[in-house]
Structures are given as C-alpha cells and as structure tokens.
Amino acid sequence: MQHFISFFKLNFYSIIRSATFKTLFIFSGIMLFTSLFGGFEYFGLQSYPVTYKMIDALNGSLGLFEIIIIVFFSGELVWRDRAAKINEVIDATAHNSVVALFARVSALVSTVSILHVIAMLTCMLYQVLNGYYNLQVDLYLEFFVLKTLPNFIFWSFLLVFAQILCNNLYIGYFIS
C-alpha cells in the first residue's frame, strides 16, 4: 500500500504540475463558460438552466478535453521514466509492477475526475446565479458515477496498456 501511495502521488503531481494540464484546464474552463453563458434558448424562448441541460453542456464542452488529457498523459506517465533512462532502475526496485500500473491509472482517473467535479460545481453555481435552485445534485452524481467515471477508468486502463505495449511514444499516441 505504501508503494501505491508513493507512485500515485508522484504520478498525480506530475500531471497537475505540468504546463500541458494547466493549459487544457484553462481551455476546458473557457469552453464550459462559453457553453453556459451562451444561454439556453429554444425557438426564441429563454429557459431555466435545468439540470439535464447543465449535464448536456458539461459533457459537450468538457468531453473533448477529458479525452485529450487521458490520451496525452497516458503516454507521459508511461514514457516519463523511459525518456529519463531510469526505467531499469525503477524496475530493479522491490515493488510490484502491477502496483505501479494501478497507481498510474488511478492518478489519471483522479485528475480527470477532479476536473469533472470542478465543472459540475461550476454548473451548479451557474444555476444558482441564474435563479434556478432545484439543483438535483443526485442527478449530477448519478451521471458521473454511472456513466462518466466508468468511461474514465476504461479508457485510462486501455490507453496506459497501449502505451506500455508500444515501443514508441508517438506510435502509442497514434494507436490511442
């Protein structure tokens, strides 16, 4: 368990501190704000920002950036050690490789999940600021836990596995 926590922290902080993640985080926020502040007008009638519209706006504006983060950082987490030429040193230490794999995937899923939860809170704040107080937090959580989180876990495992099997970072990106 101690190895898992150590690997998780190392991978998680390497994602969070990277300039690429910060840039994608900012652009995803911009896309979410433009989606929200574009209004919800249908056939010339303005409607309340109800929860299902917020979830649609959330998935529409954030989905691309979440996939980009998973694809890019699946390669970065696998190839960071290989690029620094310390992968043999890490492999020689007394740890299980499966623990390192699960720590990488967990860090990737945690990062994208935190981004998604921040976006959900932003949508709820937008609802309150526009006078809609029936937030239906249970729908946000249900959609996240039942639909979004399993997708994050599946794609993170699959893309990290693809990067491990490939012998080239860019071929792994191409396959991803």
Side-chain angles (χ1 to χ4, degrees):
M1 188 65 176
Q2 197 173 24
H3 291 285
F4 175 81
I5 293 170
S6 174
F7 279 122
F8 175 80
K9 285 181 183 179
L10 176 73
N11 292 318
F12 182 76
Y13 289 129
S14 73
I15 293 172
I16 296 295
R17 291 181 183 151
S18 75
T20 306
F21 177 77
K22 292 174 185 174
T23 304
L24 289 170
F25 183 80
I26 289 169
F27 279 124
S28 64
I30 291 170
M31 290 297 292
L32 180 63
F33 284 127
T34 57
S35 175
L36 292 177
F37 290 107
F40 297 97
E41 185 176 320
Y42 298 100
F43 302 111
L45 298 173
Q46 192 72 9
S47 71
Y48 281 113
V50 294
T51 303
Y52 76 89
K53 291 180 183 177
M54 293 287 103
I55 291 173
D56 287 344
L58 178 71
N59 290 325
S61 62
L62 221 63
L64 176 66
F65 289 101
E66 292 167 344
I67 295 296
I68 291 171
I69 288 171
I70 290 173
V71 168
F72 181 76
F73 285 106
S74 66
E76 288 297 310
L77 291 178
V78 171
W79 285 91
R80 181 185 63 230
D81 300 336
R82 294 179 186 179
K85 307 266 191 245
I86 60 168
N87 56 328
E88 286 91 10
V89 175
I90 292 173
D91 288 341
T93 60
H95 75 278
N96 192 349
S97 297
V98 175
V99 171
L101 172 69
F102 279 108
R104 286 181 180 130
V105 171
S106 298
L108 196 54
V109 169
S110 298
T111 304
V112 181
S113 296
I114 288 171
L115 175 69
H116 197 84
V117 167
I118 290 171
M120 285 186 338
L121 293 173
T122 304
C123 287
M124 288 182 219
L125 179 65
Y126 177 81
Q127 284 178 302
V128 169
L129 292 177
N130 284 306
Y132 187 76
Y133 301 107
N134 186 13
L135 296 180
Q136 295 176 322
V137 178
D138 57 332
L139 286 179
Y140 282 109
L141 293 176
E142 178 184 336
F143 192 82
F144 176 70
V145 170
L146 295 179
K147 294 187 178 163
T148 308
L149 188 60
N151 283 336
F152 290 164
I153 293 169
F154 172 75
W155 286 111
S156 296
F157 266 113
L158 186 68
L159 297 180
V160 167
F161 185 68
Q163 286 289 346
I164 289 172
L165 289 181
C166 292
N167 203 17
N168 187 321
L169 172 67
Y170 301 109
I171 292 174
Y173 282 149
F174 179 72
I175 291 171
S176 298

